[in-house]
RNA sequence: GCCCCUGUAGCUCAAUGGAUAGAGCACCGGACUUCUAAUCCGGCGGUUCCGCGUUCGAGUCGCGGCAGGGGCGCCA
């Protein structure tokens, strides 16, 4: 927003340096001045000049000399247009901005662009974000929710930043685990399924947990139990073989149970506001996967050790590395069946060739880092230039205070349970704070705020940190939380409702309060935050931004009167500022996948 | 053995190599006849795991440790 201005400032700075007999040929770095009620940019360039002098042999104290230079420059520099004051402070040269002019510029910009405020220009590159991909026949727990929320926010960010964006999901709908569940359902529970999408999905997930224990030997099993488990194990493997051979009965059984899971998934995703563009089902990728192995062998990238061993790629050796880093990857079992890596390679090829993807982002938990590093290196060896724009967005686990969640052991916190609890808690608070809310509005707010709180608690932590799930932290409604941000939006809405029409224009030709300047300052940083969060793949930056903005609005709200301002021109300007704040809050929340309520 | 991630206030976490390391929670004390108090103001709280190095300047970069977590040939 201030690039032109700062370019002029850089020229003025260099001229001023020359004026006092020194030289500085680089572009000075301009950083926002730590906020003190005036708005501006400062540069530490004088430190660099002083450091250069010290290097050339002069015996000087660099910080002291920097202060001298900054002071001299401040006297010789002509404030470039758009700035109204110059100041030297502790070696920094600070330029202060003409607050009134820029306040209008920023606010006009927001109110002209509405929902598109902060949107980047089309970049002409296609990015595919792969996320929201639990296995079928399992439960959708809070860890899956972190994945889905992170992926969705990222997709919204890159889309808004100007990338052509495809949302993709790759559910694991086949494999020994899935078939074990199908086996147990068929053997013990067929026809007993309950009604209701979530009930049925969770019931099936319960069978999965039980089925796993039925076939997994444990130390304290008696011999007869061990024999029984061995027999069961054979039955399920038999079933997988039949599935692989395309046995119509097995396929039908699998298809029916799979659909229950997919129905539940679809319901949950729609609750989260997620619309996936492309589904790649693992069961449909297996075919082509086996073909690519032949190609890799022909190209000399892979080595076929069959029948004595699998098909492998010695990645470190191919790259000429002496230390083991990418190691050796197995890309096909010795019996000729595909592995996870085989499928991912085939899928990547399809993404590049069929979907013309330039950048591919995989939102998958951190345990699979090596897997993706291997996949990306093999794609590189294979000759795909897109390989260097493949990125594994690893995120840490959501664990319980007592340890890791495990679907197989059944100690998971289900997303739906957390969601219901969130709604209950919001409802209790509404009883206390706003009991007059109509039933319709109440239902809406309970969803918006409950889900918002949960989403924010997932996005406000850096993705490579683990989250220890705790009900009170995950559903916090005070302080650094979604409801705090949503409440700022609600307060703005409330003022705007009473204000009637928002004036078409207004001049900030009065002494602005510090809180107004800070609020405008933060609004003006929105575009850069979008850009940075999108290019660094960090929704966290937007989460932090939204909080800072809400905080600035709450400060403003308490410090000044909008509707009862001292003069009409001030009232008009503040109404516009309120509207711009509301709009920016709404845009920031939208990019996090959080709704902005009109009341709460 | 090798690779990756993490280590910041009592707790949970922020901080493009820049100015006095910031928030929330918790704790203590204040502000509702006011545009919604899910808010605001004040107080309390720090050897940024340790050491060495690079730099005018390091929580941030490099090297070496320590501690915790994850991963490492036919699971996904």
């Amino acid at each position: 927003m201030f690039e032109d201005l700062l370019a002029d400032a850089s020229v003025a700075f260099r001229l001023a340096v020359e004026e006092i007999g020194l030289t500085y040929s680089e572009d000075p770095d301009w950083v926002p001045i730590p906020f003190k009620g005036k708005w501006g940019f400062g540069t530490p360039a004088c430190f660099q000049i002083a450091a250069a002098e010290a290097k050339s042999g002069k015996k000087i104290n660099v910080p002291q000399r920097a202060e001298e230079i900054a002071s001299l420059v401040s006297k010789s520099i002509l404030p470039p247009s758009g700035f109204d004051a110059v100041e030297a402070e502790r070696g920094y040269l600070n330029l202060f901005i003409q607050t009134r002019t820029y306040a209008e510029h920023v606010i006009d910009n927001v109110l002209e662009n509405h929902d598109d405020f902060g949107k980047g220009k089309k970049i002409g590159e296609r990015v595919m974000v792969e996320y929201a991909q639990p296995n079928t026949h399992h439960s959708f727990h809070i860890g899956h929710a972190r994945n889905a929320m992170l992926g969705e926010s990222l997709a919204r960010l890159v889309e808004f930043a100007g990338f052509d964006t495809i949302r993709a999901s790759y559910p694991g709908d086949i494999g020994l685990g899935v078939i074990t569940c199908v086996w147990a359902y068929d053997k013990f529970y067929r026809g007993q399924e309950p009604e209701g999408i979530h009930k049925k999905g969770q019931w099936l997930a319960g069978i999965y947990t039980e089925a796993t224990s039925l076939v997994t030997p444990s130390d304290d099993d008696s011999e007869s139990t061990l024999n029984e488990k061995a027999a069961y194990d054979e039955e399920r493997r038999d079933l997988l073989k039949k599935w692989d051979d395309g046995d119509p009965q097995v396929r039908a059984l699998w298809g029916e149970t799979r659909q229950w899971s997919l129905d539940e998934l679809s319901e949950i995703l729609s609750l989260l506001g997620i619309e996936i563009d492309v589904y790649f089902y693992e069961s449909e990728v297996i075919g082509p996967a086996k073909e690519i192995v032949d190609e890799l062998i022909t190209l000399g990238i892979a080595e076929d050790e069959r029948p004595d061993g699998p098909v492998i790629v010695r990645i470190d050796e191919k790259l000429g590395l002496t230390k083991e880093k990418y190691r050796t990857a197995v890309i096909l079992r010795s019996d000729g069946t595909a592995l996870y890596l085989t499928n991912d390679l085939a899928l990547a090829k399809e993404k590049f060739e069929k979907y013309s993807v330039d950048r591919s982002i995989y939102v998958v938990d951190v345990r699979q880092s090596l897997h993706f590093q291997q996949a990306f290196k093999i794609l590189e060896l294979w000759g795909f230039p897109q390989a260097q724009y493949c990125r594994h967005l690893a995120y840490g686990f959501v664990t319980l205070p007592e340890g890791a969640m495990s679907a197989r052991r059944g100690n998971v916190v289900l997303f739906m349970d957390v969601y219901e609890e969130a709604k209950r808690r919001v409802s209790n608070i509404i009883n206390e704070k706003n009991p007059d809310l109509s039933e319709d509005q109440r239902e809406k707010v309970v969803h918006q705020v409950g889900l918002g709180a949960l989403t924010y608690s997932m996005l406000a932590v850096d993705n490579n940190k683990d989250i220890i799930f705790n009900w009170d932290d995950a559903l916090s409604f005070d302080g650094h939380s979604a409801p705090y941000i949503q409440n700022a939006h609600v307060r703005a809405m409330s003022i705007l409702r009473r204000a009637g029409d928002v004036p078409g224009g207004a001049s900030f030709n009065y002494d602005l309060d510090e809180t107004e300047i800070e609020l405008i300052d933060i609004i003006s940083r929105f575009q850069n935050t979008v850009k940075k969060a999108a290019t660094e793949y960090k929704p966290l930056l937007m989460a932090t931004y939204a909080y800072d903005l809400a905080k600035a609005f709450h400060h403003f709200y308490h410090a000044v009167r909008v509707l009862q301002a001292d003069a009409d021109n001030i009232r008009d300007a503040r109404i516009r500022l309120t509207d711009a704040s509301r709009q920016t809050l709404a845009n920031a929340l939208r990019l996090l996948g959080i709704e902005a309520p009109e009341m709460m």
Side-chain angles (χ1 to χ4, degrees):
Chain A
M1 199 175 244
F2 302 103
E3 288 79 9
D4 295 348
L5 217 67
L6 291 175
D8 289 349
S10 298
V11 172
F13 178 80
R14 281 194 297 263
L15 284 174
V17 172
E18 245 169 72
E19 185 89 3
I20 59 169
L22 298 169
T23 53
Y24 186 77
S25 49
E26 297 166 50
D27 256 344
D29 257 348
W30 295 100
V31 294
I33 297 167
F35 185 71
K36 285 186 305 190
K38 283 202 81 180
W39 192 12
F41 294 90
T43 180
C46 300
F47 285 97
Q48 294 167 335
I49 297 171
E53 285 182 349
K55 233 178 217 166
S56 71
K58 286 189 190 172
K59 278 212 163 168
I60 52 171
N61 175 316
V62 170
Q64 205 176 1
R65 176 63 177 152
E67 255 186 270
E68 279 171 35
I69 298 172
S71 171
L72 291 170
V73 169
S74 74
K75 282 168 193 143
S76 69
I77 195 169
L78 294 168
S81 77
F83 294 95
D84 62 355
V86 185
E87 188 184 86
E89 194 184 343
R90 275 176 288 176
Y92 281 77
L93 184 84
N94 293 335
L95 297 177
F96 292 94
I97 292 191
Q98 283 169 7
T99 307
R100 296 167 189 186
T101 315
Y102 284 91
E104 280 156 37
H105 181 68
V106 170
I107 301 308
D108 290 352
N109 193 319
V110 179
L111 297 182
E112 276 161 24
N113 289 292
H114 304 283
D115 290 350
D116 284 345
F117 169 61
K119 190 170 183 167
K121 292 195 189 103
K122 281 213 174 305
I123 291 168
E125 277 184 48
R126 179 171 290 177
V127 50
M128 183 177 273
V129 186
E130 189 188 290
Y131 64 107
Q133 39 200 3
N135 290 347
T136 61
H137 301 72
H138 289 220
S139 46
F140 191 95
H141 59 61
I142 194 72
H144 298 120
R146 183 180 191 184
N147 175 301
M149 288 162 173
L150 192 57
E152 178 61 19
S153 177
L154 187 66
R156 290 184 186 207
L157 281 163
V158 295
E159 190 168 49
F160 198 65
F163 288 96
D164 183 16
T165 303
I166 303 178
R167 291 163 168 80
S169 175
Y170 178 33
D173 61 341
I174 190 57
L176 193 56
V178 166
I179 225 66
T180 306
C181 175
V182 173
W183 162 79
Y185 164 72
D186 184 42
K187 194 173 176 80
F188 305 110
Y189 292 103
R190 199 149 178 194
Q192 296 174 31
E193 54 271 16
E195 285 303 315
I197 286 176
H198 294 295
K199 273 203 175 129
K200 208 184 268 185
Q202 288 167 19
W203 178 78
L204 191 65
I207 294 178
Y208 179 93
T209 303
E210 192 192 328
T212 307
S213 67
L214 283 175
V215 297
T216 311
S218 102
D219 291 342
D220 37 56
D221 281 342
S222 67
E223 198 173 326
S224 65
T225 307
L226 286 173
N227 287 338
E228 190 182 62
K229 284 182 173 177
Y232 285 164
D233 184 49
E234 206 174 311
E235 282 180 38
R236 64 165 180 163
R237 287 180 192 278
D238 216 43
L239 206 63
L240 183 58
K241 181 83 173 58
K242 279 185 179 158
W243 183 93
D244 216 36
D245 295 340
D247 180 308
Q249 274 189 336
V250 175
R251 288 281 177 140
L253 195 62
W254 164 77
E256 193 188 359
T257 50
R258 169 182 181 270
Q259 196 55 46
W260 298 341
S261 280
L262 293 178
D263 287 345
E264 198 198 8
L265 176 63
S266 149
E267 189 94 346
I268 289 174
L269 293 185
S270 105
L271 197 63
L272 293 171
I274 297 174
E275 285 178 42
I276 297 294
D277 301 306
V278 196
Y279 279 96
F280 301 108
Y281 295 105
E282 198 175 341
S283 59
E284 292 168 5
V285 177
I286 290 179
K290 295 178 188 172
E291 292 163 21
I292 65 142
V293 173
D294 289 333
E295 192 181 334
L296 287 167
I297 294 169
T298 310
L299 290 168
I301 296 165
E303 295 165 43
D304 191 354
E305 297 183 334
R306 285 175 295 175
D308 301 326
V311 180
I312 59 168
V313 180
R314 298 181 198 274
I315 306 176
D316 287 335
E317 198 179 297
K318 284 272 180 289
L319 294 171
L321 300 178
T322 48
K323 264 191 185 174
E324 45 178 350
K325 181 163 173 101
Y326 301 101
R327 298 163 194 274
T328 296
V330 176
I331 61 168
L332 199 69
R333 289 194 187 92
S334 45
D335 67 1
T337 55
L339 291 143
Y340 187 51
L341 183 56
T342 329
N343 296 337
D344 246 339
L345 289 170
L347 192 52
K349 184 176 153 81
E350 190 178 342
K351 287 179 179 179
F352 299 152
E353 292 176 347
K354 190 172 160 198
Y355 291 89
S356 310
V357 167
D358 300 302
R359 293 165 186 257
S360 204
I361 308 171
Y362 298 78
V363 184
V364 182
D365 79 65
V366 68
R367 278 202 232 174
Q368 299 183 31
S369 292
L370 179 60
H371 162 80
F372 282 109
Q373 285 192 24
Q374 291 180 327
F376 300 161
K377 280 297 164 195
I378 292 172
L379 290 169
E380 197 181 305
L381 291 167
W382 202 355
F384 286 104
Q386 299 95 326
Q388 59 179 304
Y389 297 107
C390 284
R391 167 75 182 268
H392 172 211
L393 186 73
Y395 62 90
F397 274 123
V398 181
T399 64
L400 303 178
E402 60 269 25
M405 282 193 281
S406 164
R408 285 181 310 140
R409 292 203 306 269
N411 63 333
V412 296
V413 174
L414 294 180
F415 164 74
M416 284 308 290
D417 290 344
V418 180
Y419 174 66
E420 293 300 335
E421 174 64 16
K423 291 204 294 185
R424 266 195 298 277
R425 292 188 184 201
V426 175
S427 194
N428 288 339
I429 293 174
I430 291 174
N431 287 342
E432 185 189 315
K433 312 244 182 205
N434 199 358
D436 299 335
L437 217 53
S438 77
E439 205 44 51
D440 279 1
Q441 285 161 348
R442 183 194 191 85
E443 200 179 321
K444 200 173 167 189
V445 170
V446 158
H447 166 76
Q448 290 173 321
V449 176
L451 186 58
L454 180 60
T455 305
Y456 195 81
S457 73
M458 293 289 162
L459 296 181
V461 178
D462 193 85
N463 30 271
N464 45 26
K465 276 186 174 152
D466 287 346
I467 293 177
I468 297 172
F469 179 82
N470 167 302
W471 290 89
D472 291 336
D473 291 343
L475 301 181
S476 161
F477 300 143
D478 302 308
H480 190 202
S481 69
Y484 176 93
I485 302 163
Q486 291 170 316
N487 187 40
H489 184 265
V490 165
R491 284 180 145 178
M493 286 297 297
S494 171
I495 293 174
L496 293 167
R497 261 196 304 274
R498 285 165 193 268
D501 290 336
V502 175
S507 173
F508 288 82
N509 57 353
Y510 58 96
D511 272 336
L512 271 69
D513 187 83
E514 279 190 18
T515 60
E516 294 180 278
I517 296 171
E518 183 175 20
L519 183 53
I520 292 161
D521 183 29
I522 292 177
I523 291 171
S524 76
R525 291 186 210 164
F526 181 62
Q527 279 133 315
N528 280 339
T529 306
V530 169
K531 199 172 165 187
K532 201 171 171 207
T535 53
E536 293 179 12
Y537 306 141
K538 286 183 96 170
L540 166 67
L541 297 177
M542 186 51 64
T544 305
Y545 175 86
Y547 174 72
D548 288 342
L549 177 59
K551 188 165 170 167
F553 185 79
H554 282 305
H555 289 174
F556 160 77
Y557 182 93
H558 274 268
V560 306
R561 305 277 85 190
V562 175
L563 300 176
Q564 291 90 38
D566 293 339
D568 283 352
N569 64 320
I570 300 178
R571 183 179 191 268
D572 286 353
R574 286 184 180 158
I575 289 172
R576 280 177 70 77
L577 175 53
T578 300
D579 198 23
S581 303
R582 180 206 58 77
Q583 182 71 64
T584 310
L585 281 164
N587 290 5
L589 285 171
R590 192 177 70 238
L591 293 174
L592 295 170
I594 297 174
E595 292 185 45
E598 299 194 0
M599 49 187 69
M600 64 192 274

